[in-house]
Structures are given as structure tokens and as C-alpha cells.
Amino acid sequence: MSRIGKLPVILPAGVTVEVAADNTVSVKGPLGTLSQKVDSDIKVEVGTHTDAHSGKEMPAVMVSRPTNQPRHRSLHGLYRALINNMVVGVSKGYEIKQELVGVGYKAEMKGNVLEMSLGYSHDIALMLPAEITATAVTEKKGNPIVTLKSSDKQLIGQVAAKIRSLRKPEPYKGKGIKFVGETLRRKAGKSASK
């Protein structure tokens, strides 16, 4: 049995899950609605789960597979994780912070467009999807920090990767766009010959 797949997805207050006839799972919560098409072999059920510690009955989503084929086993854990990500997304949301390290690097939001100055001969404007809200803050004597917020984990990760790819951190001085709290592998520069 899949260790991830067999775990129930506990639904917090205010979150509802519906499974359509074509096996599309829709999760509705305070931060919006997300849906995911699930493979027809995987069975998704909305029911209740009894907590082992408190003995309380809580609404939960259970994911099950028909056989132990390698394909079914891999899909079992995948769809359970995707449904869990949607439940967390519509209840709490996801946030990614990125730091622009470099002299003269700037970032500002103009409507739904993120404008960045990253040391190139031109500024870079990136149109963000409507599902993502972003803020760009520059504190005195600090690096600009871009904060992305969304209920869709997949989308926010994709946009964050796109922003980072515009100027990846280099290993010598650490200049570039990095995630806040990320540790970079640094290299020693050339040592002067004696």
C-alpha cells in the first residue's frame, strides 16, 4: 500500500470537495476553487475519518487504487498529494519569496505586470497570471524582495521558477534571483599568483 496514498486528506472548516462523473475533483474553499482531472482507474471518495487521538469524526477525502500494478501504485500517491495541495491551497494558500541580489537590481509591480531591472541593457516585464498576487518591496540598504501568493501550488512554483530563470544566482558573488532562505553553493575566485 502506498504510504502517502492511503493517508486520508482531512478537510478543514469551510472546504468542500466534489467528485464529478468524469472523475474531476473540485475543491472549494475561502481562497477560491481548484479542480484536477483524476485518472479513471483511481477512485476518489468523500467521507469521514475518525481521528485516532481524539476519536472525533472529521470530513476527509480517501484515494484508493484497484490493483498493485506499478502504474496504479505511482498514480495513487500522486493524486492524493495533488488533492492535498489543492485543499491546503484553498484554505491557507501558498507564498514564495524571492530576493534580487545585485547592484542596481530593482523590482516593482505595475498592475499585474512585474517589472525588473536585472543588470541587462533593458528592463524585463513579466505578465503574471490572474490567480497570482505579487508584491515587490525594497527596504533601505536591502535587496528587493518579490512575494508571490496563490492558492495553486503548481502555478506559483512555475511562475517562481520563470522569475528565477531570468537571472540565476551565480556561484562567485551570489548575484541573481534567489529564494529567501536558500543557501547557494559558492566557489572561491581565482587566487592571485605569487
Side-chain angles (χ1 to χ4, degrees):
M1 199 66 181
S2 168
R3 283 185 290 187
I4 296 291
K6 68 181 179 182
L7 295 173
V9 179
I10 305 296
L11 300 178
V15 176
T16 57
V17 175
E18 289 176 9
V19 184
D22 65 342
N23 228 17
T24 300
V25 178
S26 299
V27 182
K28 198 173 188 180
L31 296 179
T33 306
L34 294 172
S35 61
Q36 171 72 45
K37 178 89 172 82
V38 176
D39 192 278
S40 56
D41 292 346
I42 302 296
K43 190 177 176 189
V44 181
E45 294 174 300
V46 182
T48 56
H49 173 73
T50 308
D51 187 35
H53 300 296
S54 63
K56 283 185 192 172
E57 291 242 334
M58 293 182 276
V61 176
M62 302 295 274
V63 181
S64 57
R65 64 175 186 247
T67 68
N68 267 345
Q69 289 176 13
R71 180 176 164 274
H72 287 157
R73 288 169 55 179
S74 63
L75 292 177
H76 188 200
L78 167 75
Y79 285 119
R80 190 266 175 203
L82 289 176
I83 292 168
N84 186 54
N85 287 347
M86 290 194 296
V87 169
V88 172
V90 297
S91 57
K92 296 176 188 167
Y94 291 100
E95 180 180 87
I96 293 178
K97 289 188 173 188
Q98 291 178 301
E99 187 178 1
L100 281 65
V101 182
V103 178
Y105 285 16
K106 294 186 191 96
E108 75 175 301
M109 286 299 299
K110 288 187 179 173
N112 212 23
V113 177
L114 176 64
E115 285 194 359
M116 293 176 287
S117 178
L118 300 173
Y120 295 118
S121 60
H122 58 285
D123 286 357
I124 296 170
L126 188 69
M127 182 83 173
L128 297 177
E131 296 88 6
I132 290 183
T133 56
T135 54
V137 180
T138 308
E139 292 177 15
K140 275 193 174 177
K141 293 190 179 175
N143 294 323
I145 291 179
V146 176
T147 307
L148 304 172
K149 288 183 182 177
S150 178
S151 58
D152 191 336
K153 187 176 186 179
Q154 212 169 330
L155 182 67
I156 195 173
Q158 212 172 349
V159 170
K162 175 70 180 160
I163 292 171
R164 183 189 158 98
S165 72
L166 297 172
R167 183 67 109 172
K168 284 190 178 150
E170 51 91 31
Y172 296 101
K173 290 183 178 174
K175 284 169 58 173
I177 301 173
K178 67 179 192 115
F179 296 106
V180 171
E182 178 186 11
T183 51
L184 301 170
R185 288 186 65 185
R186 301 294 287 270
K187 290 182 179 178
K190 287 183 183 174
S191 55
S193 57
K194 292 177 185 174

